[in-house]
Amino acid sequence: MIRLKNIDISFGNKVVIQDGELTVRRGWVTAITGPSGSGKTTLLYCLGLISSQSGHRYEFDGAEIDLGNDRQKAAYRKRKIGYVFQNNNLIETMNVRDNLLTSLSMAGGAPKTEVEKTEELLELISLSDKSELYPRQLSGGEKQRIAIACALIKNPDLIIADEPTSALDGGNADAVFGLLQKIAREQGKMVVVATHDPNIYSRADDVYVIEDRKIHLQSAAEAAIQHGEAVSKLSTKKLPFSFYTRYIRANSRRNQLRKRFITLFCALAVSFISLCIDFGQNFVAVQEDLMNRISNREIFVVNATSTKERTQAKYDPSDRSFDSKLYKQIKKTSGVDQVIPYFEIWGSKIDGKDFFYYVVPYYPDQLMDQKSGLFDETVPEAEGAYLSHQLAQELEIKRLDKRDLLLSLSVPTKLREVEQEGNSIEQTVTRPDTLSITVRGVLEGQIENSYSDSGKNVIYVPFDVLQTLLDEHKAEKLELGEKEWAPSACWVTAYRYGEVTTIKNDIKKLDPKILAYNRYQDFEAMTASIQETRQVMLIISIAILIIVFLMVTVIRIHETERRKYEVCVLKANGMTRGGVYRLVLTESFWEAAKILVIAFLFTCLLAALTNFVLFHQELILINWKLILALLGISLLSVTAPSVATILFTNRCEPDKLMRN
């Protein structure tokens, strides 16, 4: 038995029912009637626990229900209440059998009995041959009978029918009401019918009339058919995951073309977004690698202690040499790859002929071959020397066939303190020696030694060769005022070209006398250009993601609007708000999985097209980072709009949805 007390129903400022009471008995058909707008349907919603009205008291078989507890109300709707709406009681995207199975599985029906119970109900309502049809293929009477079957399949204690015969002819109306009456009589169910049909409430056991804002009991059956009050145990368990997967599978059979189009569109968008991000990152990496290869990442540092004022880093023999502490500080500067001493050894003769020239060290990262207009590949780079263009002309060298030169040099051995114009400077003490070199190349005409003012007659010799020569002449005995020779300038190379400017500024901070410069003055511009590329690709990706998000959100909200009666049916059958969340999220994750697979295939295809057809280099890498990006964007583009639609859906109660 069900009792509702202190029922107050109003719409805005209009009160339609005030302090009403309603009793529903087992084995009886209870009819509710009254003029349109009197509150019949809202009273049914209150009875079916799908109303947002909560000011009344509700007792179900002696147990009072907390009307503010959505989970408790959903538990009663799931097993104890079967609802037959006036319209839209069936899920249009499912056939008859799937509608029945959905209602049964929501109530926790055992899988082994599902098919058997479905066939029994179809037999009961004489629609065994309609199980594979969709609601749009059924007549009005057949729809109502299927709706009743969906309510019955849960084996509920209470069956509520809202105007079940309003759209039916006389024969179908009698058949539908006869079925409800038979269920009440033979199965001991509580059946409540809201109706305007006099033929129905004349055959009901109890008739409640809503009039003048009151609920009046107009007539009652003289004898009640006695049935036991035993009821099925109330279940508060959550719906199993299998319910959601089966529901989604059954629901996906309709509108497949439209759904596939939406999935394909989302997959293409996700693929394009991921490619933009990956292309931007890899393009920047390729550009950075290219800059690291074509630039020597070189900073020239001098200890500018000579008497003349200088603003540019130029080598001067009179500069004071680096002490060991300062040299170590330069090496420890963040981003520094290597530090190589720079010095100049002057020479007076080549092959016995008088020539004034300078010998300067070079190291492999300076890529001397790329600066040469003429070179001999048979000479090892670690041993060969390079001549400036002017010196090669003066020596009349026009071809290289392992050309050997004998150099007469003044090799520095130690440093001596001397007074010059009132200042103490370091004077280099030298010793004559000869060095045999093999010419590997001749530099192009525009290549000059920019590290000093030594002139254009320059020979570039591998640093290791000159270091060996210096070690051979290292002073063994130092007199008062003398110290070991050490260079006053050095090359500093950075690990990456983008760190050159920072390293240069950090080195200048070590000592106010230090001057530093780099040949390539466009490092900042190159870095800015590459960063702009990265930012543009990121902005494009974000813009596309926002567009996709908005489009999918609009599609989802439109889809939810179309499915609002479906949501109403699910809630009326016992689905909680949390259940709606889980259903929509499960649908979203399933959709995201499909989008991910299709997007991955598109990405592989577009990556091959971009790498091997358009750019002929691997700018898009198919790796775990790209797959994670695809997964993340797929989930974001589907789940975020879905959450928005959930909020839109759960904001409306079923009774409000049904009125719209």
Side-chain angles (χ1 to χ4, degrees):
M1 179 183 296
I2 296 175
R3 295 181 185 275
L4 274 69
K5 299 178 181 180
N6 308 121
I7 304 171
D8 292 313
I9 297 175
S10 59
F11 302 109
N13 295 325
K14 181 183 178 182
V15 178
V16 293
I17 297 177
Q18 188 174 29
D19 196 26
E21 292 190 8
L22 178 69
T23 301
V24 181
R25 305 175 189 277
R26 290 184 178 276
W28 289 12
V29 176
T30 301
I32 299 175
T33 187
S36 296
S38 61
K40 296 190 304 298
T41 298
T42 305
L43 183 58
L44 290 188
Y45 292 153
C46 291
L47 189 61
L49 296 175
I50 58 174
S51 174
S52 54
Q53 307 275 345
S54 58
H56 54 280
R57 295 180 59 191
Y58 192 120
E59 292 182 4
F60 200 115
D61 289 332
E64 186 162 349
I65 298 174
D66 180 3
L67 299 178
N69 188 328
D70 180 63
R71 185 177 295 277
Q72 186 184 20
K73 291 195 297 182
Y76 275 89
R77 294 197 305 266
K78 187 186 297 183
R79 284 301 306 270
K80 293 181 174 293
I81 301 174
Y83 217 115
V84 182
F85 294 103
Q86 183 176 357
N87 294 303
N88 304 298
N89 199 84
L90 303 177
I91 298 173
E92 295 292 329
T93 55
M94 295 185 181
N95 60 29
V96 169
R97 175 174 280 106
D98 286 332
N99 268 279
L100 289 169
L101 291 176
T102 297
S103 296
L104 179 59
S105 57
M106 285 191 68
K112 294 181 180 179
T113 64
E114 287 180 352
V115 176
E116 180 182 344
K117 198 162 187 176
T118 301
E119 295 301 331
E120 287 179 2
L121 277 170
L122 289 173
E123 185 69 31
L124 175 67
I125 61 176
S126 303
L127 290 176
S128 299
D129 57 337
K130 307 287 186 179
S131 61
E132 300 301 324
L133 297 183
Y134 287 88
R136 62 182 177 81
Q137 298 171 302
L138 302 174
S139 67
E142 289 171 336
K143 285 183 180 180
Q144 286 296 66
R145 280 186 279 165
I146 294 296
I148 294 171
C150 286
L152 287 177
I153 201 167
K154 301 192 299 181
N155 192 28
D157 295 324
L158 170 64
I159 298 172
I160 301 171
D162 186 7
E163 298 281 2
T165 62
S166 60
L168 306 180
D169 56 32
N172 278 319
D174 285 340
V176 168
F177 183 77
L179 180 59
L180 292 172
Q181 196 172 41
K182 180 180 180 181
I183 293 166
R185 296 284 191 270
E186 295 181 0
Q187 299 182 22
K189 306 296 184 184
M190 294 177 281
V191 177
V192 179
V193 180
T195 182
H196 284 292
D197 189 348
N199 183 48
I200 290 181
Y201 59 72
S202 66
R203 297 162 60 187
D205 300 301
D206 273 347
V207 178
Y208 285 91
V209 179
I210 302 174
E211 189 174 33
D212 297 328
R213 297 184 297 180
K214 297 295 182 180
I215 303 175
H216 305 281
L217 179 60
Q218 189 177 72
S219 63
E222 294 181 358
I225 300 177
Q226 300 300 320
H227 290 278
E229 294 294 322
V231 295
S232 58
K233 186 179 179 181
L234 183 65
S235 173
T236 58
K237 291 183 179 179
K238 295 180 180 179
L239 292 171
F241 181 72
S242 58
F243 165 77
Y244 297 106
T245 56
R246 185 167 61 181
Y247 181 87
I248 292 168
R249 190 165 56 248
N251 201 26
S252 65
R253 296 171 187 167
R254 294 296 307 278
N255 300 318
Q256 289 189 6
L257 182 61
R258 180 174 59 82
K259 291 177 181 176
R260 287 173 181 171
F261 174 78
I262 295 172
T263 301
L264 184 62
F265 166 77
C266 291
L268 282 171
V270 167
S271 177
F272 188 74
I273 294 168
S274 302
L275 285 174
C276 283
I277 296 173
D278 192 67
F279 178 84
Q281 296 294 331
N282 291 328
F283 179 79
V284 169
V286 169
Q287 294 301 307
E288 289 179 342
D289 182 65
L290 177 63
M291 293 308 305
N292 284 327
R293 285 188 284 109
I294 66 174
S295 65
N296 55 18
R297 296 162 281 123
E298 175 187 298
I299 305 168
F300 189 62
V301 181
V302 298
N303 193 17
T305 55
S306 63
T307 55
K308 59 183 179 180
E309 294 295 328
R310 286 181 286 157
T311 57
Q312 259 197 331
K314 289 279 188 177
Y315 174 78
D316 190 323
S318 62
D319 285 333
R320 191 169 293 274
S321 61
F322 287 116
D323 59 44
S324 57
K325 180 180 178 182
L326 186 57
Y327 204 69
K328 289 178 180 178
Q329 287 178 322
I330 294 174
K331 284 186 174 181
K332 291 181 179 179
T333 301
S334 177
V336 169
D337 180 15
Q338 56 184 340
V339 179
I340 300 177
Y342 176 85
F343 50 88
E344 293 180 352
I345 302 175
W346 61 274
S348 57
K349 292 183 179 182
I350 299 178
D351 290 339
K353 296 180 182 180
D354 291 335
F355 276 99
F356 188 80
Y357 58 92
Y358 284 91
V359 174
V360 176
Y362 77 87
Y363 56 95
D365 284 354
Q366 288 183 303
L367 308 174
M368 300 298 281
D369 281 350
Q370 295 183 12
K371 305 171 185 177
S372 301
L374 177 69
F375 65 92
D376 185 356
E377 292 183 351
T378 62
V379 179
E381 187 175 3
E383 301 173 4
Y386 292 84
L387 307 182
S388 66
H389 185 75
Q390 177 176 308
L391 184 59
Q393 284 186 327
E394 292 188 18
L395 293 174
E396 298 180 351
I397 296 176
K398 296 182 179 179
R399 55 178 298 178
L400 298 176
D401 293 313
K402 292 188 178 180
R403 180 71 177 268
D404 293 329
L405 299 177
L406 183 63
L407 309 180
S408 297
L409 305 174
S410 295
V411 183
T413 59
K414 56 186 177 180
L415 296 168
R416 180 181 298 154
E417 292 277 353
V418 297
E419 292 292 327
Q420 188 178 59
E421 298 179 358
N423 295 313
S424 176
I425 65 170
E426 291 181 344
Q427 186 181 64
T428 304
V429 179
T430 64
R431 182 181 299 172
D433 199 353
T434 58
L435 177 66
S436 178
I437 62 168
T438 302
V439 180
R440 176 177 169 86
V442 176
L443 302 182
E444 294 178 348
Q446 71 273 20
I447 304 296
E448 296 182 1
N449 181 21
S450 62
Y451 303 116
S452 72
D453 298 321
S454 57
K456 296 185 178 181
N457 286 346
V458 181
I459 300 175
Y460 299 87
V461 177
F463 170 77
D464 291 342
V465 174
L466 291 183
Q467 186 63 51
T468 301
L469 182 65
L470 292 173
D471 291 341
E472 291 174 355
H473 290 275
K474 187 175 181 181
E476 297 180 359
K477 183 179 179 181
L478 297 174
E479 298 178 0
L480 184 65
E482 295 180 343
K483 65 178 183 179
E484 290 184 357
W485 179 88
S488 61
C490 65
W491 285 300
V492 175
T493 57
Y495 281 109
R496 304 186 67 79
Y497 83 95
E499 299 171 328
V500 168
T501 302
T502 303
I503 293 172
K504 182 176 67 174
N505 294 331
D506 289 344
I507 290 175
K508 286 180 180 179
K509 296 175 183 176
L510 297 177
D511 192 301
K513 288 291 186 178
I514 287 181
L515 296 177
Y517 88 107
N518 56 284
R519 283 186 175 184
Y520 295 93
Q521 300 298 321
D522 57 348
F523 278 125
E524 292 86 352
M526 290 185 293
T527 302
S529 175
I530 291 175
Q531 291 301 325
E532 286 175 5
T533 301
R534 177 188 279 120
Q535 291 173 1
V536 168
M537 300 304 290
L538 183 61
I539 290 171
I540 291 174
S541 303
I542 293 174
I544 296 174
L545 183 60
I546 292 173
I547 292 171
V548 171
F549 171 80
L550 292 176
M551 291 186 68
V552 174
T553 300
V554 170
I555 291 171
R556 289 278 177 179
I557 290 177
H558 178 69
E559 181 73 11
T560 303
E561 180 68 19
R562 294 175 65 251
R563 295 174 62 186
K564 64 181 181 180
Y565 294 111
E566 174 188 334
V567 174
C568 179
V569 171
L570 293 174
K571 283 193 170 185
N573 278 286
M575 184 171 283
T576 62
R577 292 184 179 184
V580 175
Y581 274 103
R582 286 189 288 275
L583 175 62
V584 177
L585 288 177
T586 304
E587 285 182 330
S588 299
F589 287 133
W590 172 243
E591 189 68 20
K594 292 191 291 184
I595 289 173
L596 176 63
V597 173
I598 298 173
F600 179 75
L601 296 176
F602 273 123
T603 301
C604 292
L605 179 63
L606 292 175
L609 181 65
T610 302
N611 291 340
F612 304 113
V613 178
L614 297 180
F615 294 97
H616 304 288
Q617 59 179 317
E618 202 168 9
L619 289 177
I620 298 175
L621 304 176
I622 306 297
N623 52 27
W624 64 270
K625 291 183 179 179
L626 180 60
I627 295 174
L628 283 180
L630 286 170
L631 176 60
I633 297 170
S634 298
L635 290 174
L636 182 64
S637 63
V638 175
T639 305
S642 297
V643 171
T645 59
I646 289 171
L647 297 176
F648 170 81
T649 303
N650 265 338
R651 191 176 57 189
C652 302
E653 296 294 335
D655 56 331
K656 296 178 182 178
L657 279 171
M658 291 301 293
R659 287 197 187 96
N660 293 336

